[in-house]
Amino acid sequence: MSDTLQLTMKQLFDKMLAQMGPQGWWPADSKWEIILGAILVQNTNWNNVVRSLHNLKHLTQFSPQHIATLPLPALQDAITPSGFYKNKSRAIAEMYAWLKQYDFDLDKINNTYNDQLRVQLLRMFGIGYETADVLLLYVFDRVEFIADKYAQKLFNQLGIQQYSDYRKLKAVVDLKTDFTLEQAQEFHGLIDEFGKLYLGNKDKWASSFLNGDTLLL
């Protein structure tokens, strides 16, 4: 275990990056693939998502125009490995129908909605708080903090225990002042990969390079 520290958010990021290296999140070749993955990963593991994405790539090559016109039965069949295929297929179909209204021009959508984009995303079927923030961060290139379960567990271990759900933690963390877009994207990847390695139980946490550190909000 390294020397313990009281860390700011940016110092936490810097320490994690120095210890773990770049994670390269979100794992995808295009923003259209990211949108699909963000919806498909809900309530399942990434290995199942990979199988569904493989099927969708075979059918559409992740062309947004092809995804938008994919017949519902074919879409449902392709994403079956990710589970909840009826709800997820509806979410994908409605998302791509909305994107089509703007000619799949992400800049046009950004400029149209400005600071109301998150509100608009949350109005869409199958898009909750976490998925909306993933889309804002990785698709619409906005600096956002994703307050997912791994982030909540990590911050709890670092002494931030009063913000026990997504919205409460999200409300007190703002990365916009100190983080670039690339750093915010990397931070989410670092937190989730750290969580897989060290947040499973007390013994794993005790062996981590953050054990004993505290976080300043």
Side-chain angles (χ1 to χ4, degrees):
M1 185 180 71
S2 60
D3 293 337
T4 59
L5 299 169
Q6 194 173 48
L7 304 167
T8 65
M9 194 71 66
K10 187 60 164 52
Q11 288 169 338
L12 172 63
F13 166 77
D14 290 339
K15 186 170 183 177
M16 294 178 78
L17 183 63
Q19 290 286 334
M20 299 173 64
Q23 302 300 306
W25 274 46
W26 189 277
D29 292 329
S30 71
K31 292 186 175 184
W32 314 116
E33 184 181 353
I34 292 173
I35 294 170
L36 295 169
I39 293 172
L40 292 171
V41 78
Q42 298 171 12
N43 300 306
T44 192
N45 65 66
W46 189 252
N47 289 333
N48 292 334
V49 175
V50 169
R51 293 166 60 197
S52 295
L53 289 173
H54 175 80
N55 295 339
L56 287 170
K57 184 175 183 179
H58 176 74
L59 289 172
T60 68
Q61 295 301 305
F62 298 134
S63 158
Q65 292 84 359
H66 289 171
I67 296 167
T69 58
L70 194 64
L72 189 59
L75 177 56
Q76 291 180 344
D77 185 60
I79 69 171
T80 295
S82 296
F84 304 97
Y85 64 90
K86 290 184 178 180
N87 282 342
K88 291 181 180 181
S89 63
R90 177 182 169 187
I92 290 170
E94 292 190 11
M95 172 63 69
Y96 274 82
W98 176 69
L99 293 167
K100 186 178 181 181
Q101 294 176 27
Y102 298 91
D103 302 316
F104 305 104
D105 187 332
L106 300 175
D107 289 334
K108 183 188 293 186
I109 293 172
N110 252 326
N111 293 332
T112 298
Y113 289 96
N114 294 311
D115 60 357
Q116 292 300 303
L117 181 54
R118 189 171 191 265
V119 174
Q120 170 59 29
L121 291 171
L122 289 171
R123 289 181 180 141
M124 302 183 70
F125 180 83
I127 305 300
Y129 295 105
E130 182 176 339
T131 305
D133 286 332
V134 167
L135 296 177
L136 289 172
L137 178 60
Y138 290 104
V139 176
F140 294 102
D141 294 337
R142 299 188 180 199
V143 175
E144 294 288 345
F145 175 70
I146 299 173
D148 63 7
K149 290 296 184 183
Y150 281 133
Q152 293 167 38
K153 289 181 179 180
L154 174 59
F155 284 24
N156 184 275
Q157 293 286 4
L158 294 173
I160 308 298
Q161 300 173 346
Q162 63 269 49
Y163 306 109
S164 57
D165 66 25
Y166 194 98
R167 283 180 286 179
K168 289 179 181 178
L169 183 56
K170 173 77 176 180
V172 297
V173 178
D174 185 359
L175 305 183
K176 294 180 176 64
T177 300
D178 297 323
F179 283 70
T180 67
L181 172 64
E182 291 75 17
Q183 289 170 338
Q185 291 173 338
E186 188 64 56
F187 195 29
H188 175 58
L190 286 165
I191 289 172
D192 278 23
E193 293 302 325
F194 181 92
K196 294 171 188 176
L197 292 171
Y198 299 115
L199 294 175
N201 57 54
K202 291 181 179 179
D203 290 338
K204 289 183 178 180
W205 169 254
S207 71
S208 80
F209 59 87
L210 293 176
N211 182 32
D213 289 351
T214 57
L215 180 65
L216 292 171
L217 283 185

